[in-house]
Amino acid sequence: MKKLINSADTVIVDSLTGLAAAHPDLRVDVEGRVVYRAEGPRQGKVGLVSGGGSGHEPLHAGFVGYGMLDAACPGEIFTSPVPDQMIAASKAVNGGAGVLHIVKNYTGDVLNFEMAAELCAEEGVEVATVLVDDDVAVRDSLYTAGRRGTGATVFVEKIAGALAETGATLAEVAAVGKEVNARSRSFGVALSACTTPASGKPTFDLGADEIELGIGIHGEPGRTRASTAPAREIVRTAMDAINEDMPLSGDTLVMVNGMGGTPLIELYIVFAEVDAYLREHGASTARSLVGNYITSLDMQGFSVTVCRLTDELTRLWDAPVQTPGLRWGR
Amino acid sequence: MKKLINSADTVIVDSLTGLAAAHPDLRVDVEGRVVYRAEGPRQGKVGLVSGGGSGHEPLHAGFVGYGMLDAACPGEIFTSPVPDQMIAASKAVNGGAGVLHIVKNYTGDVLNFEMAAELCAEEGVEVATVLVDDDVAVRDSLYTAGRRGTGATVFVEKIAGALAETGATLAEVAAVGKEVNARSRSFGVALSACTTPASGKPTFDLGADEIELGIGIHGEPGRTRASTAPAREIVRTAMDAINEDMPLSGDTLVMVNGMGGTPLIELYIVFAEVDAYLREHGASTARSLVGNYITSLDMQGFSVTVCRLTDELTRLWDAPVQTPGLRWGR
């Protein structure tokens, strides 16, 4: 295994140290493993907290900042953070209007965020939760009961974050987060496995000409293995899966996301095919992201996430955001 | 070879099609292979044109937009664009104040941009050129007489682009571009080779525990092969090479750049070590970029670029920019 690390034991601490050095707008509690906005909570604003296993950068810590999250709790690689992190984060970002937890649907994350929410409530911090479960590939997978939470997390964090900046109530911010999740679907494809620093070995084996259709962001199995194929065919498989689950129509927000090891030139080729598919099906790409947003270490592959927009969701998507991973309009 | 492409022959066209679909702020001449700002030239503003082989995305097309380039000319993968592209771009972006060509020092690019500049002059378009040659690793390499142009290209495009927006003259914009290049140094490290779509094979062989110190962005050989080592040691080797060539001091602008296949979590680990090195040597990281900015397809590895800032360069770096690859402040 060749990786740019000092040791498998210090990956999270060393990476958080770099994050802190690179982004003075963030306050990073390296020991406690929570990443905050440097300016602290704003009175009357709902606080947004997310978190999950590391290895998906820039998610979540790279989405802390104006217009998005107030704090993120990174766990070990592909391992849920613990309730202590979530409680510390929630208390610190509470400006009196309550705190929204944005949770990807993996059993460990769900249980730990539930426990944290209960303990926060006992301490007088009101918590609401949005559970993200947008991945149409499989139901009940390794680590997950129900659908996995993947790319829609980025949309939920951005759009709920934008609404929170307007002074909306916790109920309103939670409702828009749930609406985004309900209107979003994802599908992932792996060309290669990823290698965790701790194991030093690929998380699964793929043949020289094989791809995994419906891959999870931790290398969980998808729907099927297939022979590699032109991008157009691979995209059609992914988009058919989304379209069968949620018929595509109208204006959409589309993310073509790299899994960490995929060149950007290939992601734009994938995006061209996604855009063509949407137009063929009477929908359109009104807004888009192309790049690495929710990754799986060094995995080669992509995921596509589609959200059927409303005027309000479009307005919130366009609102200013200022984070390491997403930044515009301000 | 597994890649998200339709065929090796259509990589550039398909990718440009995706770029056009994703970024309505750009006007992409897919057939002519030039990427422009959609709004066209501004009278009295110096036009900035760059270009080079594809495979380094987001460079260059991803840096077209307000505050940076006016046009970019993508060649085939790792192959210079042709003078016709550069001439078309230069004539189209000329707002009467002349055009700056930003050229990475590779023999093919240099010859083609020289020919284009001569033909532009014959047609009454004044052209100045900034040659970028910041890579301290080797002198006279495959494809290059003298030093290779790498990460400093991003700094030159950003800072010269910011000055051009103020209405500065061609001579002033060229001078600041040259100043940025003169104050910048880079060094790259490969953990793996990259694979071009046309060849389908890695561009060179590296042993299971070997890394290449001083790698070029096309997989050109570096200074030496070494056994893989902790990030701290690898960074020290890279930074020593930079510091020996240009003693580090004062405020610096630092880019820790991923080669395309490197997880962001590792780039932050590298950044932490670079930042510590600078502080140990009496310098500081005043501004930074951590991510994929000048890549080498799917290569795993990183490059570090350091620019010794002045107050003026810092102000120009901070100025608003609105491109697919860099966006802030507006």
Side-chain angles (χ1 to χ4, degrees):
Chain A
M1 176 188 65
K2 290 183 280 191
K3 286 191 180 291
L4 295 165
I5 62 177
N6 288 314
S7 84
D9 296 335
T10 61
V11 165
I12 309 303
V13 164
D14 291 348
S15 177
L16 289 177
T17 301
L19 189 79
H23 303 291
D25 287 355
L26 302 179
R27 180 171 68 81
V28 181
D29 178 351
V30 174
E31 202 177 331
R33 302 200 180 184
V34 184
V35 177
Y36 301 96
R37 298 191 199 182
E39 75 267 25
R42 204 166 79 220
Q43 279 307 307
K45 177 190 165 304
V46 170
L48 270 69
V49 173
S50 193
S54 293
H56 308 301
E57 290 68 25
L59 189 88
H60 297 272
F63 299 136
V64 174
Y66 180 85
M68 220 161 162
L69 299 178
D70 292 272
C73 308
E76 287 292 321
I77 299 282
F78 296 171
T79 303
S80 174
V82 296
D84 279 355
Q85 290 167 270
M86 302 158 183
I87 295 165
S90 302
K91 288 162 73 171
V93 307
N94 183 27
V99 175
L100 183 69
H101 287 176
I102 299 172
V103 184
K104 302 195 299 303
N105 190 31
Y106 300 98
T107 304
D109 297 72
V110 171
L111 291 175
N112 285 323
F113 268 106
E114 274 176 4
M115 192 179 300
E118 282 170 24
L119 293 164
C120 283
E122 285 176 17
E123 300 199 42
V125 177
E126 193 185 359
V127 172
T129 299
V130 173
L131 191 68
V132 182
D133 61 349
D134 55 312
D135 184 346
V136 302
V138 293
R139 181 164 284 281
D140 297 337
S141 159
L142 197 61
Y143 312 131
T144 310
R147 285 182 167 176
R148 303 177 297 215
T150 58
T153 315
V154 179
F155 296 171
V156 171
E157 292 179 1
K158 167 67 183 82
I159 289 174
L163 187 62
E165 297 294 347
T166 68
T169 66
L170 180 58
E172 291 166 338
V173 176
V176 84
K178 287 172 187 174
E179 184 186 6
V180 171
N181 180 59
R183 301 179 74 92
S184 298
R185 298 291 188 279
S186 294
F187 192 92
V189 176
L191 273 57
S192 77
C194 56
T195 299
T196 63
S199 82
K201 283 182 296 219
T203 50
F204 59 96
D205 292 315
L206 263 183
D209 289 314
E210 273 185 331
I211 61 175
E212 177 87 26
L213 295 166
I215 191 75
I217 57 172
H218 314 92
E220 308 97 300
R223 289 185 172 188
T224 181
R225 297 252 165 122
S227 295
T228 190
R232 188 165 299 135
E233 290 177 31
I234 298 174
V235 166
R236 187 160 298 273
T237 301
M239 294 299 288
D240 280 348
I242 288 173
N243 191 41
E244 277 159 25
D245 198 85
M246 177 184 76
L248 295 164
S249 66
D251 283 351
T252 66
L253 163 62
V254 176
M255 178 170 69
V256 168
N257 167 65
M259 290 299 202
T262 308
L264 187 56
I265 195 169
E266 296 181 30
L267 296 179
Y268 276 113
I269 292 173
V270 169
F271 182 80
E273 300 301 336
V274 169
D275 182 64
Y277 183 101
L278 285 165
R279 282 187 280 109
E280 281 167 29
H281 288 75
S284 77
T285 311
R287 299 290 186 277
S288 63
L289 284 180
V290 182
N292 294 328
Y293 295 99
I294 170 171
T295 59
S296 188
L297 293 171
D298 56 344
M299 184 185 285
Q300 292 194 319
F302 74 98
S303 62
V304 53
T305 303
V306 182
C307 175
R308 292 187 306 117
L309 287 166
T310 63
D311 288 348
E312 190 204 2
L313 297 185
T314 305
R315 222 168 20 243
L316 291 167
W317 179 258
D318 288 343
V321 61
Q322 183 103 4
T323 71
L326 275 190
R327 185 148 67 161
W328 62 68
R330 197 190 183 207
Chain B
M1 175 187 64
K2 291 184 280 190
K3 285 191 181 291
L4 296 165
I5 62 176
N6 288 314
S7 84
D9 295 335
T10 61
V11 165
I12 308 303
V13 164
D14 291 348
S15 178
L16 288 177
T17 302
L19 188 80
H23 302 292
D25 287 355
L26 301 180
R27 179 170 71 80
V28 181
D29 178 351
V30 174
E31 202 177 331
R33 300 198 180 185
V34 184
V35 177
Y36 301 96
R37 299 191 199 182
E39 76 266 25
R42 205 167 79 222
Q43 279 306 308
K45 178 190 164 302
V46 169
L48 269 70
V49 173
S50 191
S54 293
H56 308 301
E57 290 68 25
L59 189 88
H60 297 272
F63 298 136
V64 175
Y66 180 85
M68 220 162 162
L69 299 178
D70 292 272
C73 308
E76 288 293 319
I77 299 282
F78 295 171
T79 303
S80 174
V82 296
D84 279 356
Q85 290 167 270
M86 302 158 183
I87 294 166
S90 301
K91 288 162 73 173
V93 306
N94 182 28
V99 175
L100 183 70
H101 288 176
I102 298 172
V103 184
K104 303 195 298 303
N105 190 32
Y106 299 98
T107 305
D109 297 72
V110 171
L111 291 175
N112 285 322
F113 268 106
E114 273 176 5
M115 191 179 301
E118 283 169 25
L119 292 165
C120 282
E122 286 176 15
E123 300 200 40
V125 177
E126 192 185 2
V127 172
T129 300
V130 173
L131 192 68
V132 183
D133 61 348
D134 54 313
D135 185 345
V136 302
V138 293
R139 180 164 285 280
D140 298 337
S141 159
L142 197 60
Y143 312 132
T144 309
R147 285 182 166 177
R148 302 176 299 215
T150 58
T153 315
V154 179
F155 296 170
V156 171
E157 293 180 359
K158 167 67 182 83
I159 289 173
L163 187 62
E165 297 294 347
T166 68
T169 65
L170 180 58
E172 290 165 339
V173 177
V176 84
K178 287 172 188 174
E179 183 186 7
V180 171
N181 180 60
R183 300 178 74 92
S184 298
R185 298 291 188 279
S186 294
F187 192 93
V189 177
L191 273 58
S192 77
C194 57
T195 299
T196 63
S199 82
K201 283 181 295 217
T203 50
F204 59 96
D205 292 314
L206 263 183
D209 289 314
E210 272 185 331
I211 61 176
E212 177 87 27
L213 296 166
I215 191 75
I217 57 171
H218 313 92
E220 308 97 302
R223 290 184 171 188
T224 180
R225 297 253 165 120
S227 294
T228 190
R232 188 166 299 136
E233 290 177 31
I234 298 173
V235 166
R236 187 159 298 274
T237 301
M239 294 299 289
D240 279 348
I242 289 173
N243 191 41
E244 278 160 24
D245 198 85
M246 177 185 77
L248 295 164
S249 66
D251 283 352
T252 66
L253 163 61
V254 177
M255 177 170 71
V256 169
N257 167 65
M259 290 298 203
T262 308
L264 187 56
I265 195 170
E266 296 181 30
L267 296 180
Y268 276 113
I269 292 173
V270 168
F271 182 79
E273 300 301 338
V274 169
D275 183 64
Y277 183 100
L278 285 166
R279 281 186 280 109
E280 281 167 29
H281 288 75
S284 76
T285 310
R287 298 290 185 277
S288 64
L289 285 180
V290 182
N292 293 327
Y293 294 99
I294 170 171
T295 59
S296 187
L297 293 172
D298 56 343
M299 185 186 285
Q300 292 194 319
F302 74 99
S303 62
V304 54
T305 303
V306 182
C307 175
R308 292 186 305 117
L309 287 166
T310 63
D311 288 349
E312 190 205 3
L313 297 185
T314 305
R315 222 168 20 244
L316 292 167
W317 179 258
D318 288 343
V321 61
Q322 181 102 6
T323 71
L326 275 190
R327 187 148 66 161
W328 61 68
R330 197 191 182 208

